[in-house]
């Protein structure tokens, strides 16, 4: 493509409202333009990069046995009412009425539509399993759109849905999708992890998020430094074995701790390690107050409390409620001498504590030399805390480290949540109806573009991996008014295109400084510069990533490029 | 693709609400499924056909020098308020409020967005002209969605916009687009015409519609039987020269015509040809009543009246208004003895009339032997009637015939309508600001798919042209449980894919009748059947279009197919 015929609106100045690199660079390099908060135009370079990402996705989806279709953005409210999400999705669901006052959602996802179609089209087990996917513009009215394409209100998704007669069949496709996603993000050149995630309110068992590692990520990942283990910190199980100290048990005793409330205040005042203090909190579990204990150096993970107690809702009691129950303030509560009606659950680490400290349910007093089991009864021990850096990896290999990640993909065993709600059934061999067992599998396509931009850049601009780069080569005659330069550049342009390179040809009458600055900013993998040595038939080849530069005879260019692209 | 892994929900029964063939067949062949009135899912076969149409469009757009981008569907109301269309577009514009109660349109077209982007990005004449296009889902809340994909509420469009410093530059790109469109619809295999169209209320001069000829088309086209001339009938100029009869002029005379009102009643009663009667109507032109005359066998074209009088609005006066003015009913009005304040304009044909008949502005009476000029004054003669079949073609070649057409494309010189309204300007060589001169160019992509289906089918189903067909070859083992058939089919499947054929492999365990019926219905260009002669290494090749069938040795299959696809 001749640069004069496309639109690459590069900016010299840093956009003031762009906080993160990918957002700044995609704006500055003329890849995107904001039309409204969280709504962007994809300019020609971005469109080409998106095409490449989409092509990779299509190839891997096809390999995984999925068939592509395209569902509408407008979805009748009735479908969402059937699934119940019309009432629960909240303000993120964009809703619109047509001229006859019928309500529609603007699809943020398509479980309802696809379930309705499959239910209508695949009545029998004979035609199952089936996996269908689409690449489509989606809408979600984010409360705080930000980070450019990372959290927008109109964005491009790949969403796939699979339908099965059995859990085994779902497992199989789930694994295929896991492999496809691994291939996709590997081909995109991304540094990512497949991370165990919370299945949230939808139910279902297995779910994994594909996270691109990045400081600006909104999620924290716990990963092993020695294996492929990775999980959302909310989900990471703690498999640590806590050794009980063999120090002699001392007698329980109440001590004054005037004004000391936090773990660090109490442990400092009593001159013990925070790990010797029992942290006690009241949580409201399915409307019943329960006391939860963890070690002073640990944090309670309410999702684990919820799972351990098989509850459907868990929240932390506020100070007022706590006072009502125990007649003391937050910092002074503890498990000793509680009313028998108040259940106690504790993290496994608490079981190993000896001569510990805890609140005395009386302001300004704590107990010391507390022995769990001796001084209070624990109804249940379980893994109730957040994993921490330095903990052993739950898979037994290596030590846990933390990283931040951008979620670019999500695979999910939905089970029968939607099919049951929507009465979507197939007939088995005996003519008996069962709800489809379903999986769903998403990729944020426009978000992946931003994630690549976030991982690949330097102080001069973007550095596209070859698989995604809008063009392979940026061909730049330094001076288009110089006939020798122009002619050689035109000749090379034709030749390179014939050899199936995607070439961006900077045929603009701009100063060399502008051309080179733009070129670094937009970041094609290889730059071929036709300058003063054009008369001698010599051009310059520069690799954007390494900055490596070499002079090459025009006749050798193709060979040199073949080698460079082999390496890149 | 293995048929067991994709979803082709063919129907045995005719969908009750589908009136036209393309709609019926696309539903029956499992290409589309309706989700709501005018809102469809594109099932896997349709998605592949759309991909092929889009690929053809992309290639031709690139050849025409256009760059692809992707604009958002959500468009801030402010942009549409700037252009004024927020207030004039009416109920077809779908509108939505976000959670902060800001208004957006769901784009039916993108003049506003693209003008705003170019205005922001291309400040100087140096970077003009530029042509940008996208292929995108659009929304239009049709009052009466119908005919399946032909008039939907959510549909796929290719829309392109060009920006220029001069009319000459616009002319050049308009011509390039004309050529690109001709190439696109030719490559799609369509029988179409480029038709002169009305530029409507937008202003601008040249505009052409690309019409696929079809009985079910909603527009009537007047075309020459001997040249490429074609125009929307509203637009077709009449270049006929009317010879004045040399019969002697007779004396004006009033005759009784009791109860005779229509042209045919009056001409029958007076025993003259309808072409001897003057048809008189009152039109309200920019709020002023004007009498318009045409010959009794002609029809008044109000658009021509509007253009001839350089008016901005024209409508037919109702009977009440007419009575108020002339004190007689519709069928009795005429141009003789009118109040001087009432202007008369007449079609050119009227000037040549001799001894004609017209209403006497008195119920139950007509004049005979009326001579225009002698018996009444005509303020202006012009071409004011609809062209008719049999008229000479306005370009001087051949005779006019009528056909009906489906509009699949539209090219349009917008001029400065949008750039002026939105204050979108570039700076010329002297630093002076001018509004961009613009063109816009649309193709209904999903509508083109339907138009192809409408043109190519028979009683058994669809017949896809090779360029658009979802798959080139439908490979059908008659009995998948027969090992010889299955093995040979699998071998051919691999081989054909290796030779870059797109193959749909019917690996289902269905009865042969079902497989063949489905195959004819979905209409891939070539069917390869592996049946009982598999043991002898013989397969059957059938061309869908002609029904031609031949037995072929498996070893010769590739050669035979090469020859067939050369011809198709």
């Amino acid at each position: 493509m001749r640069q004069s015929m496309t639109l690459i609106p590069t900016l010299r100045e840093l956009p003031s409202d762009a906080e993160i690199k990918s957002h700044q660079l995609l704006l500055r390099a003329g890849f995107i333009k904001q039309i409204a908060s969280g709504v962007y135009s994809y300019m020609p370079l971005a469109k080409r990069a998106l095409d490449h990402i989409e092509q990779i996705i299509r190839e891997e989806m096809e390999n995984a046995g999925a068939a592509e279709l395209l569902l509408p953005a407008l979805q009748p409210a009735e479908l969402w009412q059937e699934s119940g999400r019309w009432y629960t999705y909240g303000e993120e669901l964009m809703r619109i009425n047509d001229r006859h006052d019928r309500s529609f959602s603007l699809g943020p996802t398509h479980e309802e539509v696809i379930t309705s179609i499959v239910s209508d089209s695949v009545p029998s087990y004979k035609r199952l399993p089936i996996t269908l996917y689409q690449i489509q513009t989606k809408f979600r009215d984010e409360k705080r759109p930000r980070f450019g394409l990372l959290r927008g209100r109109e964005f491009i998704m790949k969403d796939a849905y699979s339908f099965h007669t059995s859990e085994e069949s779902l497992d199989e496709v789930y694994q295929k999708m896991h492999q496809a996603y691994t291939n996709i993000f590997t081909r995109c050149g991304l540094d990512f992890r497949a991370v165990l995630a919370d299945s949230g309110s939808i139910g279902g068992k297995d779910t994994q998020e594909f996270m691109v590692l990045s400081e600006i990520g909104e999620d924290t990942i716990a990963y092993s430094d020695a294996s492929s283990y990775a999980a959302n910190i909310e989900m990471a199980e703690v498999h640590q074995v806590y050794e009980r100290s063999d120090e002699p048990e001392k007698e329980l005793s109440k001590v004054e701790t005037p004004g000391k409330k936090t773990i660090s205040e109490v442990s400092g005042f009593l001159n013990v390690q925070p790990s010797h203090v029992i942290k006690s909190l009241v949580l409201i579990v399915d409307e019943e107050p329960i006391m939860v204990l963890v070690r002073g150096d640990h944090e309670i993970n309410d999702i684990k409390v919820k799972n351990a107690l098989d509850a459907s809702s868990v929240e932390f009691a506020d100070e007022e409620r706590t006072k009502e129950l125990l007649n003391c303030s937050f910092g002074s509560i503890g498990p000793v001498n509680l009313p028998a009606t108040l259940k106690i659950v504790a993290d496994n680490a608490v079981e190993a504590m000896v001569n510990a400290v805890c609140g005395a349910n009386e302001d300004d007093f704590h107990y010391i030399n507390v022995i769990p089991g001796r001084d209070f009864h624990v109804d249940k021990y379980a893994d109730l805390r957040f994993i921490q850096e330095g903990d052993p990896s739950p898979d037994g290999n290596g030590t846990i480290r933390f990283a931040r990640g951008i979620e670019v993909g999500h695979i999910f065993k939905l089970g029968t949540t939607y099919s049951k709600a929507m009465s979507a059934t197939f007939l088995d061999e005996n003519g008996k109806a069962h709800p489809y067992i379903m999986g769903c599998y998403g990729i944020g396509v426009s978000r992946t573009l931003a994630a690549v931009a976030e991982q690949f850049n330097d102080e001069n601009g973007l550095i596209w991996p070859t698989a995604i780069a809008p063009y392979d080569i940026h061909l730049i005659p330094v001076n288009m008014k110089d006939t020798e330069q122009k002619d050689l550049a035109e000749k090379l342009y034709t030749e390179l295109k014939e050899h199936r390179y995607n070439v961006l040809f900077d045929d603009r009458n701009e100063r060399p400084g502008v051309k080179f600055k733009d070129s670094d900013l937009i970041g094609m993998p290889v730059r071929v510069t036709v300058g003063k040595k054009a008369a001698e038939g010599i051009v310059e080849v520069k690799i954007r990533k390494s900055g490596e530069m070499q002079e090459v005879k025009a006749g050798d260019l193709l060979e040199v490029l073949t080698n460079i692209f082999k390496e890149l």
Side-chain angles (χ1 to χ4, degrees), chain A:
Chain A
M1 172 67 85
R2 286 170 192 274
Q3 210 159 330
S4 64
M5 306 193 75
T6 185
L7 186 53
I8 308 174
T10 55
L11 304 173
R12 286 288 158 264
E13 274 148 49
L14 201 64
S16 62
D17 56 342
E19 304 160 57
I20 59 164
K21 269 191 190 164
S22 59
H23 189 191
Q24 292 167 357
L25 286 170
L26 289 173
L27 283 167
R28 280 190 54 211
F31 276 64
I32 57 175
K33 279 188 89 76
Q34 184 175 307
I35 301 298
S37 170
V39 180
Y40 293 86
S41 289
Y42 304 101
M43 302 303 290
L45 289 184
K47 180 68 177 84
R48 291 184 63 95
L50 286 171
D51 286 347
H52 294 151
I53 295 173
E54 292 178 11
Q55 184 53 31
I56 290 171
I57 292 175
R58 287 197 169 94
E59 287 169 17
E60 297 295 339
M61 282 298 111
E62 190 156 325
N63 280 343
E68 187 174 5
L69 42 55
L70 182 60
L71 305 172
L74 288 172
Q75 306 183 8
E78 291 75 19
L79 283 177
W80 283 69
Q81 285 157 358
E82 264 189 69
S83 76
R85 291 206 291 183
W86 185 256
Y87 313 106
T88 58
Y89 209 96
E91 286 199 280
E92 291 192 355
L93 186 65
M94 299 196 85
R95 298 160 210 245
I96 191 168
N97 282 3
D98 73 4
R99 66 198 297 160
H100 306 297
D101 225 27
R102 287 199 197 94
S103 296
F104 291 82
S105 69
L106 274 186
T109 169
H110 281 70
E111 281 82 1
E112 284 84 356
V113 172
I114 196 78
T115 302
S116 138
I117 287 176
V118 168
S119 173
D120 202 38
S121 312
V122 187
S124 156
Y125 74 96
K126 282 189 207 166
R127 295 286 290 109
L128 293 172
I130 189 157
T131 307
L132 299 161
Y133 80 99
Q134 61 172 345
I135 295 177
Q136 192 201 34
T137 296
K138 302 270 198 252
F139 302 86
R140 188 159 54 206
D141 202 355
E142 292 283 351
K143 194 171 184 184
R144 283 189 58 211
R146 59 188 180 138
F147 293 168
L149 302 186
L150 284 183
R151 194 166 286 281
R153 299 199 287 173
E154 178 174 341
F155 51 96
I156 305 171
M157 283 275 293
K158 186 283 297 179
D159 45 329
Y161 306 90
S162 66
F163 294 81
H164 309 266
T165 59
S166 70
E167 293 287 346
E168 295 68 41
S169 167
L170 171 59
D171 286 348
E172 204 177 298
V173 168
Y174 184 88
Q175 281 313 319
K176 273 190 192 165
M177 284 291 160
H178 190 288
Q179 187 58 52
Y181 275 44
T182 303
N183 297 348
I184 288 165
F185 296 120
T186 303
R187 288 177 65 183
C188 287
L190 286 164
D191 184 13
F192 70 95
R193 292 258 175 170
V195 171
L196 298 170
D198 179 29
S199 58
S201 54
I202 310 185
K205 214 173 52 176
D206 288 345
T207 172
Q208 275 165 291
E209 291 166 354
F210 285 75
M211 292 277 194
V212 171
L213 303 187
S214 164
E215 282 167 23
I216 60 99
E218 296 183 272
D219 298 277
T220 301
I221 305 163
Y223 69 95
S224 164
D225 61 3
S227 76
S228 71
Y229 177 85
N232 193 303
I233 48 159
E234 294 178 342
M235 286 298 295
E237 293 174 17
V238 174
H239 282 199
Q240 191 162 359
V241 178
Y242 304 97
E243 302 257 334
R244 194 170 192 277
S245 156
D246 53 4
E247 65 179 276
E249 295 188 3
K250 297 184 194 164
E251 198 174 329
L252 181 70
S253 150
K254 185 145 89 175
V255 298
E256 207 168 348
T257 48
K260 306 307 173 200
K261 292 186 167 180
T262 66
I263 297 292
S264 84
E265 284 166 1
V266 171
S267 62
F269 181 76
L270 296 175
N271 199 23
V272 297
Q273 292 297 316
S275 59
H276 269 77
V277 182
I278 295 172
K279 189 187 284 183
S280 314
L281 278 108
V282 175
L283 275 72
I284 310 299
V285 178
D286 289 344
E287 295 178 20
E288 182 196 352
I290 280 178
M291 185 173 282
V292 180
L293 312 178
V294 296
R295 226 165 63 183
D297 56 335
H298 292 158
E299 295 295 331
I300 293 178
N301 180 337
D302 53 334
I303 291 177
K304 288 186 176 178
V305 173
K306 187 175 145 199
N307 292 340
L309 299 177
D310 205 13
S312 56
S313 86
V314 163
E315 36 187 315
F316 289 91
D318 58 17
E319 181 126 31
E320 198 182 339
R321 184 78 198 273
T322 308
K323 208 154 201 165
E324 223 171 76
L325 279 165
L326 300 171
N327 210 18
C328 67
S329 63
F330 257 177
S332 304
I333 68 173
V336 179
N337 292 328
L338 281 189
T341 50
L342 195 65
K343 242 197 225 170
I344 300 176
V345 296
D347 181 63
N348 295 323
V350 174
E351 197 170 11
M353 292 174 86
V354 177
N355 300 329
V357 172
C358 72
N361 296 320
E362 189 179 345
D363 282 353
D364 301 331
F365 286 92
H366 277 77
Y367 286 113
I368 60 170
N369 303 332
V370 180
I371 310 286
R374 185 192 74 180
D375 301 326
F376 60 90
H377 170 72
V378 171
D379 292 275
K380 182 172 191 174
Y381 283 107
D383 168 23
L384 302 180
R385 70 167 173 97
F386 277 102
I387 204 161
Q388 293 183 336
E389 282 195 289
D391 280 334
S393 175
D395 69 350
N397 293 312
T399 300
I400 286 297
R401 300 272 168 256
F402 282 1
R404 297 190 74 77
I406 301 165
E407 183 191 337
V408 287
H410 198 164
I411 58 179
F412 204 114
K413 293 187 184 171
L414 289 174
T416 54
T417 314
Y418 287 90
S419 48
K420 271 188 182 155
M422 299 179 70
S423 306
T425 58
F426 65 92
L427 298 177
D428 68 13
E429 292 87 333
N430 307 311
K432 207 178 152 235
H434 304 273
Y436 300 96
I437 296 169
M438 291 171 57
C440 76
Y441 317 92
I443 289 180
V445 178
S446 39
R447 185 182 274 190
T448 297
L449 182 75
V452 173
E454 192 66 36
Q455 273 197 351
F456 299 97
N457 62 70
D458 64 14
E459 65 281 10
N460 296 318
L462 294 160
I463 305 172
W464 292 101
T466 49
I468 293 178
Y471 295 92
D472 306 312
I473 295 167
H474 201 177
L475 175 64
I476 306 186
V478 175
N479 181 359
M480 275 298 280
K481 286 171 182 159
D482 178 308
T483 321
E484 274 166 331
Q485 289 184 30
K486 180 171 182 293
D487 290 351
L488 180 56
E490 291 278 1
K491 185 170 156 276
L492 292 176
Y493 180 48
T494 307
E495 228 171 78
L496 291 169
K497 281 197 298 177
E498 278 168 8
H499 284 78
R500 300 191 162 271
Y501 285 109
N502 287 318
V503 184
L504 180 64
F505 178 25
D506 191 350
D507 61 343
R508 298 175 304 163
N509 280 316
E510 288 284 2
R511 283 176 293 118
V514 170
K515 289 186 165 193
F516 292 137
K517 255 204 157 55
D518 277 351
S519 181
D520 280 346
L521 186 55
I522 67 177
M524 301 308 120
V526 171
R527 179 206 294 174
V528 175
T529 308
V530 182
K532 283 183 183 156
K533 291 195 178 168
E536 303 161 48
I538 288 173
V539 301
E540 186 190 272
V541 176
K542 185 181 170 187
I543 299 172
R544 175 69 183 89
K545 192 167 147 192
S546 63
E548 252 179 278
M549 228 187 282
Q550 54 178 311
E551 291 195 337
V552 172
K553 281 189 199 155
D556 300 339
L557 182 61
L558 285 170
E559 200 189 325
V560 170
L561 288 173
T562 306
N563 291 328
I564 287 175
F565 279 98
K566 241 182 243 160
E567 304 267 309
L568 277 176

